[in-house]
């Protein structure tokens, strides 16, 4: 036997029975929500050219992408992100379609997480992209409201949405005189809230107001008072505008009935560099990482030749399904109501009887055993309540005890 015959690659796994049902249920909840709010589904290729993900703002580390070579020797990758291909799509095949474009997707993304044990390399994501909204504020409220409804659909009591603004972090970083590698290290340490290493790195840079603000950035999360703390650390006209915008967003969403489910986090600094404005993450109580991620990205579609504002988010469907299973909020695999056994010479009659039951809405399955006794034993073990024996006559036996 070959060594890897019975296992799956690291970062992947098989889904069985109830797990499949939970995933489909999570997908269906999102598909219904997105469709009813005016979004149309698109599907992009599972493989894309490597170049698509390697510009300065569309940069994905080559070590984290699964790479292949096509028949012409060109490097292609398994899709690590859905937003970038949809931006390409909006500027190419949909270039003559009027804005706003409301698009949604439900597809897998792939990322090599070899050094992060427990992380999935293949994740099903479903999300929306709102492209071309003239009024950014209206578009942000739409995306945020749909994000809250998506989380609420999985568990109306045990979710939260954290909102930040990438502009606060970027403004501080623009004032820091360090190279791009150091900036990326700072971004990673803030994102992971690694206070000790972050402080050591910043101490080596200096003791300015900007440095002090960056040190505190991972701690700037909670209620609206976070904005006052941020302003006290460092402010200018641009930052004041950002903080005022967040205050308004927080208050207005809270007034829609989401109070207690929404918080602020200025430490949301995704490694994806195409975000330009508001950013947000959604959490479910049993999952230790964000289930939903999104934000505003006004320059991305323009990189493909069609300028427009844009905002969107993606949901980790597998994590949402896992939460529903843990909390008992997903359906279980249903047992057949009737097992149908056909005596010798009546095998086709038995299958016809099964199909007739299905048309009546009765869940039934065909017995593959050679005797009614074996069929009855199987039905009892499976919890099937009735056995129909098909011969010259039809006999239905109740197996309830």
């Amino acid at each position: 036997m070959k060594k890897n015959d019975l296992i799956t690659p690291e970062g992947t796994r098989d889904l069985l029975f109830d797990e499949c049902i939970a995933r489909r249920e999570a997908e269906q909840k999102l598909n219904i929500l997105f469709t009813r709010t005016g979004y149309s589904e698109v599907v992009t290729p599972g493989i894309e050219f490597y170049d698509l993900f390697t510009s300065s703002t569309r940069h994905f580390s080559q070590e984290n992408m699964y790479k292949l070579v096509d028949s012409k020797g060109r490097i292609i990758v398994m899709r690590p992100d859905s937003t970038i291909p949809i931006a390409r799509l909006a500027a190419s095949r949909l270039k003559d379609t009027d804005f706003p474009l409301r698009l949604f997707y439900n597809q897998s993304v792939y990322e090599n997480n070899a050094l992060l044990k427990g992380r999935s390399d293949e994740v099903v994501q479903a999300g929306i992209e709102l492209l071309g909204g003239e009024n950014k504020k209206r578009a942000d409220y739409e995306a945020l409201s749909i994000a809250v409804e998506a989380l609420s659909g999985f568990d109306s009591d045990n979710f939260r949405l954290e909102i930040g603004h990438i502009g606060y972090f970027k403004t501080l970083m623009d004032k820091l005189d360090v190279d791009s590698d150091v900036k990326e290290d700072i971004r990673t340490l803030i994102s992971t809230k690694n206070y000790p290493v972050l402080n050591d790195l910043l101490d080596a840079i200096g003791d300015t107001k900007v440095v002090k603000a960056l040190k505190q950035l991972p701690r700037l999360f909670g209620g609206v008072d976070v904005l006052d703390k941020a302003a006290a650390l460092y402010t200018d006209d641009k930052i004041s505008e950002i903080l005022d915008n967040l205050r308004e967003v927080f208050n207005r969403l809270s007034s829609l009935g989401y109070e207690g489910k929404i918080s602020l986090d200025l430490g949301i600094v995704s490694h994806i560099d195409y975000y330009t404005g508001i950013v947000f993450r959604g959490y479910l109580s049993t999952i230790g990482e964000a289930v939903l991620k999104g934000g505003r990205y006004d320059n991305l579609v323009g990189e493909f030749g069609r300028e427009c504002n844009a905002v969107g988010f993606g949901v980790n469907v597998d994590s949402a399904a896992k939460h529903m299973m843990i909390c008992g909020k997903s359906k279980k695999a249903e047992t057949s109501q009737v097992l149908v056994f056909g005596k010798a010479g009546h095998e086709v009659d038995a299958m016809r009887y099964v199909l007739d039951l299905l048309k009546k809405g009765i869940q039934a399955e065909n017995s593959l055993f050679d005797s009614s006794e074996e069929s009855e034993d199987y039905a009892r073990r499976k919890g099937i309540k009735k056995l129909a024996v098909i011969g010259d006559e039809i006999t239905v036996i109740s197996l309830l005890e």
Side-chain angles (χ1 to χ4, degrees), residues 137 140-141 164-165 227 239-251 277-278:
K137 187 179 296 185
D140 284 347
Y141 285 142
H165 197 296
L227 303 176
I239 286 180
S240 293
E241 182 180 350
I242 289 169
L243 298 180
D244 288 343
N245 179 35
L246 283 176
R247 190 183 304 274
E248 181 181 355
V249 168
F250 180 86
N251 290 334
I278 197 166

Side-chain angles (χ1 to χ4, degrees), residues 157-279:
D157 296 320
N158 301 299
F159 76 89
R160 74 180 190 276
L161 185 73
E162 297 181 351
I163 305 170
H165 197 296
I166 198 65
Y168 184 81
F169 169 74
K170 286 187 174 181
T171 300
L172 292 176
M173 294 301 287
D174 287 343
K175 298 178 182 300
L176 209 60
D177 187 20
V178 294
D179 63 35
S180 59
D181 289 338
V182 174
K183 288 183 177 181
E184 185 57 34
D185 288 340
I186 293 172
R187 179 199 296 270
T188 300
L189 294 171
I190 291 174
S191 179
T192 58
K193 298 190 185 297
N194 190 336
Y195 305 116
V197 180
L198 175 64
N199 288 339
D200 289 343
L201 176 58
L202 292 173
D203 283 341
I205 295 173
D207 188 27
T208 65
K209 283 189 175 182
V210 170
V211 168
K212 290 178 180 177
L214 287 168
K215 284 184 177 181
Q216 293 300 314
L217 196 52
R219 296 180 172 88
L220 293 178
F221 61 90
V224 73
D225 60 311
V226 163
L227 303 176
D228 297 325
K229 294 178 182 177
L233 288 169
Y234 184 88
T235 191
D236 57 19
D237 291 343
K238 189 172 182 179
I239 286 180
S240 293
E241 182 180 350
I242 289 169
L243 298 180
D244 288 343
N245 179 35
L246 283 176
R247 190 183 304 274
E248 181 181 355
V249 168
F250 180 86
N251 290 334
R252 290 203 172 183
L253 286 178
S254 296
S255 72
L256 293 177
Y258 302 139
E259 188 173 5
K261 302 296 185 185
I262 297 173
S263 60
L264 297 169
D265 187 353
L266 292 177
I268 299 177
V269 288
S270 172
H271 73 280
I272 299 173
D273 204 34
Y274 52 63
Y275 289 124
T276 58
I278 197 166
V279 287

